């Protein structure tokens, strides 16, 4: 059975902040080196590097990171499943190791929202190209909602008020402020997540409305970060780390992408006790809906805060959740889950050694 034996990340920094001038490889290569050092694995033992990157312009970012980190023999595999990609990279690593095709795979995600390329679409009328922010996630424009619009519609359907969303955000920030920084690789002097703060009622009241009940306080900010995990065979693990018990990625209704992780969680988790769960908070309403829809115990969810407090480095966000789980789960079972645009949900179930 594949095991996760080391996991680290950079701090998560909102776009335009301290990481704004760093290239993809500048973000991820130091994390790769730290993970290998933690695990006591030599670069030459690594069979593959799988990294998610959602906003870049191609060029195989995983290969660039491998070269920058001193792994020239590794070809590198870059994937794009938007927000879910960082967790899906770990599921792919698990499959390679469990099949016997590899013994050591570095997997995770890296995203520079600050350096994302400008996007232009041809004008159907023959005029100048038209800038756009959100790529199409379905073939049907009428079923391809803006993410904030979809979150607000979900809030309305489930009766999740703005006040309840704000309460979730307050708790997320409070927990993140108390988070131990051991999982973070210092980079250009940044050793802590940059965004967590005390959210007062006055700040919440003044938060700009993004769409309906969703405000700037209850939607995760765009961010830059890298997160990498090392997945290895039992032979290399020597009973260390987290056993990767089960994983699932499923498609759901693209009109309600926030609910997609519920089916993925149900596919791999059947109600057994969980000591910790990491659920992505792209929006407060989405996190609340997933926790309640899947039947998770809120007391074990995101003990170190979530995406609302850190930010959302799209392709890296799922891997950040896995890093949090690795450092936070001391015994028993843990789970992580994330939603992605287009109605995609990914979940991973793990067990700590000695459980």
């Amino acid at each position: 059975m594949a095991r996760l034996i080391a996991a680290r990340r950079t701090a998560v920094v909102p776009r335009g902040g301290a990481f704004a001038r760093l290239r993809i490889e500048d973000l991820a290569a130091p994390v790769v080196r730290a993970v290998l050092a933690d695990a006591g694995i030599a670069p030459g033992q690594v069979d593959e590097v799988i990294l998610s990157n959602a906003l870049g312009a191609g060029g195989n970012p995983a290969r660039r990171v491998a070269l920058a980190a001193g792994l020239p023999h590794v070809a590198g595999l870059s994937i794009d499943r938007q927000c879910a990609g960082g967790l899906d990279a770990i599921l792919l690593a698990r499959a390679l190791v469990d099949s016997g095709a590899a013994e050591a795979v570095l997997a995770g995600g890296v995203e520079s929202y600050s350096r994302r390329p400008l996007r232009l679409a041809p004008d159907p009328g023959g005029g100048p190209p038209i800038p756009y922010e959100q790529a199409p996630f379905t073939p049907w424009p009428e079923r391809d909602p803006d993410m904030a619009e979809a979150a607000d519609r979900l809030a309305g359907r489930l009766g999740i008020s703005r006040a309840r969303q704000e309460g979730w955000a307050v708790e997320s920030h409070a927990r993140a402020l108390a988070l131990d920084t051991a999982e973070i690789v210092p980079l250009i002097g940044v050793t802590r997540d940059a965004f967590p703060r005390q959210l007062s009622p006055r700040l919440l009241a003044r938060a700009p409305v993004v769409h309906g009940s969703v405000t700037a306080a209850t939607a995760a900010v765009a961010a830059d970060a890298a997160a990498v995990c090392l997945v290895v065979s039992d032979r290399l693990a020597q009973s260390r780390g987290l056993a990767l018990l089960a994983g699932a990625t499923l498609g759901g209704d693209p009109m309600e992408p926030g609910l997609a992780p519920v089916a993925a969680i149900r596919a791999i988790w059947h109600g057994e006790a969980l000591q910790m769960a990491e659920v992505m908070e792209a929006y407060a309403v989405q996190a609340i809906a997933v926790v309640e829809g899947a039947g998770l115990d809120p007391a074990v969810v995101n003990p170190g805060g979530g995406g609302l407090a850190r930010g959302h480095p799209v392709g890296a966000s799922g891997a950040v959740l896995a890093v949090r789980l690795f450092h936070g789960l001391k015994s028993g079972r843990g789970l992580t889950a994330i939603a992605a645009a287009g109605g995609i949900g990914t979940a991973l179930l793990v067990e700590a050694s000695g459980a």
Side-chain angles (χ1 to χ4, degrees), residues 9-79:
R9 66 179 178 92
T10 66
V12 180
V13 178
R15 64 174 163 181
F19 292 167
R21 295 189 178 184
L22 298 182
R23 301 170 300 169
I24 292 294
E25 52 267 39
D26 300 327
L27 283 167
V31 182
V32 167
R33 290 191 288 266
V35 166
L36 293 178
D38 288 350
I41 297 291
Q45 293 177 272
V46 175
D47 297 305
E48 186 60 281
V49 174
I50 306 173
L51 292 178
S52 164
N53 181 251
L55 302 175
N60 195 2
R63 171 63 173 167
R64 288 160 50 194
V65 170
L67 289 170
L71 285 71
H73 65 288
V74 175
L77 174 64
S78 300
I79 67 170

Side-chain angles (χ1 to χ4, degrees), residues 2-353:
R3 289 181 175 272
L4 196 167
I5 65 166
R8 298 286 287 276
R9 66 179 178 92
T10 66
V12 180
V13 178
R15 64 174 163 181
F19 292 167
R21 295 189 178 184
L22 298 182
R23 301 170 300 169
I24 292 294
E25 52 267 39
D26 300 327
L27 283 167
V31 182
V32 167
R33 290 191 288 266
V35 166
L36 293 178
D38 288 350
I41 297 291
Q45 293 177 272
V46 175
D47 297 305
E48 186 60 281
V49 174
I50 306 173
L51 292 178
S52 164
N53 181 251
L55 302 175
N60 195 2
R63 171 63 173 167
R64 288 160 50 194
V65 170
L67 289 170
L71 285 71
H73 65 288
V74 175
L77 174 64
S78 300
I79 67 170
D80 173 10
R81 208 174 243 162
Q82 293 296 302
C83 314
L87 194 54
D88 281 316
I90 297 166
L91 297 191
L92 285 174
R94 170 179 175 259
L96 282 175
V97 171
D98 280 347
S99 71
E103 281 212 274
V105 180
L106 289 159
V110 57
E111 201 76 75
S112 175
Y113 217 112
S114 298
R115 294 173 65 91
R116 75 197 189 286
L118 299 176
R119 294 171 167 180
L120 298 172
D123 180 3
I130 303 169
Y132 67 97
E133 279 288 322
Q134 179 176 304
F137 296 116
T138 79
W140 315 288
E142 74 280 2
R143 295 180 60 194
D144 201 359
D146 172 81
M147 293 297 100
E149 177 188 348
D152 179 54
R153 185 164 53 241
L154 183 63
R157 187 170 75 78
L158 298 180
I160 300 173
S161 67
R162 171 173 169 168
R164 191 169 175 211
Q165 294 173 55
E166 290 175 339
W168 187 281
V170 168
E171 184 66 20
S172 181
H173 279 262
R175 292 178 177 185
L177 285 170
L179 179 67
D180 181 9
T181 60
E183 68 199 48
I184 296 176
V185 176
L187 189 59
I188 61 167
V190 181
T191 60
R192 296 192 65 91
D193 295 325
F195 195 63
R197 64 204 61 203
Q198 294 287 347
L199 290 182
S200 67
R202 184 175 180 181
L203 279 175
L204 292 169
R206 291 170 54 192
V209 172
V210 178
H211 197 286
S213 66
V214 177
T215 74
T218 58
V221 298
D224 306 333
V228 179
C229 299
L230 179 60
V231 178
V232 303
S233 65
D234 276 326
R235 184 183 73 83
L236 290 181
Q238 298 180 335
S239 300
R240 292 179 290 167
L242 304 181
L244 305 185
L245 301 180
T249 301
L250 298 173
D253 185 353
M255 292 292 287
E256 289 191 329
L259 283 180
V262 173
I265 292 170
R266 289 175 176 169
I268 63 171
W269 177 66
H270 307 292
E272 59 269 36
L274 294 174
Q275 276 62 53
M276 182 178 177
E278 287 288 319
V279 175
M280 181 57 193
E281 300 171 351
Y283 297 92
V285 62
Q286 163 256 311
I288 294 168
V290 168
V291 168
E292 294 188 346
L296 299 175
D297 179 0
V300 303
V301 174
N302 299 355
L308 292 174
R310 287 189 294 267
H312 190 5
V314 193
S317 290
V320 170
L321 297 178
V323 172
R324 288 259 53 256
L325 194 63
F326 178 81
H327 285 267
L329 184 66
K330 305 305 180 185
S331 64
R333 292 191 172 187
L335 180 142
T336 185
I338 190 166
I344 296 168
T346 297
L348 173 65
L349 183 69
V350 305
E351 186 171 69
S353 294

